[in-house]
Structure formats: structure tokens, C-alpha cells
Amino acid sequence: MADRRLSPIPWHAVFGDDRPVEFEIGPGRGEILLAWARAARETNFFAVEHASGMATELAGRAAAAGLANVRVVGGDARCVVRRLVPDASVAAYHIYFPDPWPKTRHRQRRLFSDRAFAPALRRTLRPDGRVHVASDLPALHAAMCGALVEAGFVRDDVTPPPRLRPTTKFERKYAAAGTWYACFRRGD
């Protein structure tokens, strides 16, 4: 029987250079991803969008805008991070407003319901890297933060939120009651 495990793919093979990589999970329509890629062309931006059609559309928009520092794939971010991202290779993870899967029977689909996900983020984050999380739901935000702390991350209240993060259409619509944000670093 063939070995079906996937091996990490070096970022150089993805982007053709060795610039720092920032990774957005669930970019949706890509407002943040595309704005940052335009503003920081010396950084590579990789994104995983669960909806493959949206991922294809977003990749097309990035290409049409001439953003050679953007790659977008459709898939399960938990699997991509666990199996394909090299150790200590990501400068920052951005996880903004992940799907809350509010129905009880769907909660196992939540990003952090997979207990191996936060440790995989830690393994793949550079020692000086950061994980940025935000949600409009306090309970979901608390669950994300709890999973990160359990995996050995330390809350970083010194690093300010990423500057110039655009407010997305989703955030304007659903986060009227507020946005809960936190930044974490590896607890080495």
C-alpha cells in the first residue's frame, strides 16, 4: 500500500523566492489579503479558503492586480497547516472571523475544534512570529484564545494589531457590537 502522507512544501517552491510568508486562514472575499499584498510587496501572502470557488476567484483577482506575492488555495486549513507547511517557516498567521458553525451538530467543523490545529500553528510559526485572531463572537474568541494558550502560545499584549487592516464587509455587517482581537507569540 502506498504511503499517503503529504510532505511539507518549501515556500521557495510556492513563491520562487525566500521572502517572509504571512498566512491568512479564511480570507473570504480577500479584502485584507489583497490590501496587504499591495502594501507589502516584499512579503509573500498565502491564504487557504474553505470555499474552493471563492479561492479560485480570489486567486484570479490577485493575478489580475499583478500581485505576484499572493497564492490562494481552496481546502481545509487544518490539513494544509498540519501536513504541508514547513516547521518554523511562517512569519504571521491571520485568523479573522472564522466560521462559527453555530449549530451544535456542526461545531466539530470549527477551526480550533481539531485539537491538533493550534499545536500545528505553533510548530510552523517562526520563533519571532505572531498569530493574530479576531471574532465578533466573544465565546468563539475565548475558545480560540484558550486553544492557543493550551498549545503553548503566550498572549502578546505589547504588539499592536496589524496596522492598516481593512474592515471587511463581513465585519461591518456582523461586528457592530464589537470585535475581539488578540495577538499571540510562541512561548519559547
Side-chain angles (χ1 to χ4, degrees), residues 4-92:
R4 294 178 179 245
R5 290 181 295 172
L6 302 173
S7 299
I9 300 171
W11 289 118
H12 182 81
V14 175
F15 289 99
D17 59 50
D18 291 318
R19 294 182 290 192
V21 174
E22 297 199 16
F23 193 128
E24 185 174 4
I25 295 174
R29 292 184 177 95
E31 296 102 320
I32 295 170
L33 180 71
L34 297 178
W36 282 351
R38 280 186 199 99
R41 296 196 185 241
E42 71 285 353
T43 300
N44 290 323
F45 293 90
F46 186 81
V48 176
E49 173 55 49
H50 187 72
S52 60
M54 287 182 80
T56 300
E57 180 184 328
L58 182 52
R61 288 177 45 218
L67 297 172
N69 60 337
V70 173
R71 301 291 184 276
V72 183
V73 298
D76 184 338
R78 296 172 296 188
C79 179
V80 171
V81 172
R82 264 195 329 264
R83 297 182 179 180
L84 299 176
V85 178
D87 292 354
S89 67
V90 176

Side-chain angles (χ1 to χ4, degrees), residues 78 99-110 113:
R78 296 172 296 188
D99 194 330
W101 295 104
K103 293 181 180 177
T104 302
R105 70 178 186 265
H106 293 161
R107 288 197 177 155
Q108 77 276 5
R109 295 180 184 175
R110 286 182 178 173
S113 66

